[in-house]
Amino acid sequence: MLSRHIFSTIPIVLNFIPAVLSQTYYTQNAHFKGKNFLDAFNWETFDDPTHGRVNFIDQQTALNTNLSYADDDVFIMRADYHQIVPSYARGRDSVRITSHDAWGDSLLVLDLAHMPEGCATWPAYWTVSKNGPWPQGGEMDIIEGVNLNNNNLASLHTMTNCTMPQTRSQTGQVVSTNCDAAVNYNQGCGVAFATPASYGSGFNTNGGGWVATWRSPNSISHWFWPRNAPNVPDEIRQGDSDVVTPGENWGTPDATFVWPQCDYNSHFDPHQIIFDLTLCGDWAGNAFPTAGCGPGNCQDFVDNNPDAFGNAFWEINSLTVYTPSSF
Ligand SMILES: *[C@@H]1O[C@H](CO)[C@@H](O)[C@H](O)[C@H]1NC(C)=O
Ligand SMILES: *[C@@H]1O[C@H](CO)[C@@H](O)[C@H](O)[C@H]1NC(C)=O
């Protein structure tokens, strides 16, 4: 609050403010909205590495079939919800996009109107090292869950020797503390957000909201505000071009990851941003029988119930990347 006051009222003092302030001044490096996504992201078409019952399609096919849609205001990507999938097919048509660019220390602000929900779905908004090979350089999952989950799970997946303290300053619940991808079948270190409005149908019922992710040598922290929350910070709601001191006056984060037992610099390097929607696979498929989605198995459900995927879509208002700037 103090620093903002100084900036707005006596800018001339800036020249004399010591360098320490520059570390907390973030400025817009990239802003993705509507059609920007078409140029800034790659539509991946490989087999889903998590073994989902999906067929990731290229951008032209996605636009032709309206499984991806962009205008000036919004970007939408979804799974097909019309066709029966033949058993010999690779899976139900869906979309996975990866940013061309990569960022290290940064503030990501996602304004999201709708996320995929429903049985068999496994959507994720996440980042991963551009250099790799995975898990070198790290993976940071920001929005993730499966089936009828109603609390978001944020996690990290890393090389060896990276764990999280059980107790941290966050409102979410610690699910697991070892980030090493080679441990616990790549469970990673995860934190479940406290509010059901943070994922799936609860998220969508509220018209979505904002997720801010601040990645720095001090911590990785995530804040979530539902659309109708009374306490959405002005700079987040308005999409300001600069953010001074991320986290200041934002309240306790929903999830936070800190480094006393993990060397940040050797475990994390610049990351690309990914949005995807897979179906079944290693997590959603294995959890399907106990998710209240049966009877039957996940693959049969996906193949034979196109109507179940009408709400399996991402609707993104904007994604903004801020990077630390020095004067
Ligand atoms: C494509 O999807 C958009 C967004 O859901 C929708 O507004 C539009 O009507 C769809 N177009 C067609 C041809 O179905
Ligand atoms: C494990 O990480 C800690 C820092 O978190 C470091 O002090 C220690 O040397 C590392 N151990 C190995 C075997 O790399």
Side-chain angles (χ1 to χ4, degrees):
M1 214 54 186
L2 180 60
S3 58
R4 212 164 293 154
H5 181 72
I6 291 171
F7 280 120
S8 58
T9 58
I10 26 174
I12 200 155
V13 172
L14 274 181
N15 292 332
F16 306 99
I17 290 180
V20 65
L21 266 189
S22 67
Q23 292 174 346
T24 58
Y25 189 90
Y26 281 67
T27 192
Q28 250 188 47
N29 177 273
H31 180 66
F32 307 113
K33 188 173 181 64
K35 291 175 182 156
N36 300 148
F37 281 90
L38 304 181
D39 301 324
F41 284 70
N42 187 46
W43 268 239
E44 311 284 9
T45 57
F46 44 59
D47 290 347
D48 174 25
T50 59
H51 312 104
R53 183 70 182 148
V54 282
N55 178 44
F56 290 134
I57 56 177
D58 63 40
Q59 185 184 90
Q60 198 54 57
T61 307
L63 292 172
N64 291 344
T65 53
N66 215 27
L67 298 192
S68 295
Y69 170 85
D71 59 25
D72 291 340
D73 296 322
V74 80
F75 170 67
I76 294 173
M77 55 178 252
R78 66 190 315 149
D80 168 68
Y81 61 108
H82 296 303
Q83 318 286 332
I84 301 274
V85 180
S87 57
Y88 58 78
R90 189 163 70 152
R92 179 167 295 284
D93 287 354
S94 188
V95 175
R96 171 175 168 136
I97 64 171
T98 302
S99 67
H100 296 303
D101 289 341
W103 296 268
D105 294 341
S106 53
L107 169 67
L108 309 180
V109 178
L110 178 67
D111 179 347
L112 185 62
H114 188 280
M115 65 173 294
E117 63 166 279
C119 288
T121 61
W122 177 3
Y125 158 53
W126 57 294
T127 72
V128 70
S129 169
K130 184 168 188 169
N131 290 338
W134 185 89
Q136 208 164 301
E139 170 185 333
M140 170 171 85
D141 303 323
I142 305 169
I143 297 179
E144 190 178 23
V146 295
N147 297 311
L148 303 176
N149 282 178
N150 46 32
N151 291 67
N152 183 49
L153 182 71
S155 0
L156 302 177
H157 301 260
T158 65
M159 296 285 278
T160 191
N161 194 23
C162 180
T163 62
M164 291 295 133
Q166 183 72 34
T167 304
R168 285 112 79 186
S169 174
Q170 58 188 5
T171 58
Q173 193 105 48
V174 173
V175 172
S176 49
T177 55
N178 199 329
C179 311
D180 182 349
V183 169
N184 299 332
Y185 303 96
N186 186 28
Q187 183 183 18
C189 50
V191 175
F193 286 17
T195 165
S198 61
Y199 188 83
S201 66
F203 180 91
N204 294 331
T205 301
N206 276 327
W210 294 265
V211 178
T213 297
W214 184 24
R215 174 183 157 176
S216 85
N218 296 321
S219 64
I220 288 173
S221 296
H222 306 287
W223 288 262
F224 166 64
W225 299 275
R227 186 71 53 199
N228 52 8
N231 61 334
V232 186
D234 286 346
E235 61 267 43
I236 299 292
R237 186 189 291 281
Q238 294 159 195
D240 286 0
S241 54
D242 303 306
V243 175
V244 181
T245 316
E248 193 185 44
N249 303 321
W250 292 2
T252 306
D254 292 79
T256 197
F257 302 88
V258 293
W259 320 120
Q261 301 154 210
C262 179
D263 179 53
Y264 173 71
N265 288 317
S266 60
H267 284 87
F268 293 91
D269 65 8
H271 281 192
Q272 291 168 295
I273 300 171
I274 301 179
F275 290 88
D276 70 52
L277 169 57
T278 190
L279 305 171
C280 307
D282 297 340
W283 186 13
N286 290 339
F288 187 87
T290 55
C293 290
N297 70 54
C298 196
Q299 177 171 331
D300 289 345
F301 180 85
V302 167
D303 288 358
N304 299 311
N305 295 285
D307 292 352
F309 299 94
N311 280 320
F313 67 94
W314 292 101
E315 181 174 344
I316 302 169
N317 291 331
S318 66
L319 170 65
T320 309
V321 182
Y322 300 84
T323 49
S325 73
S326 43
F327 294 99

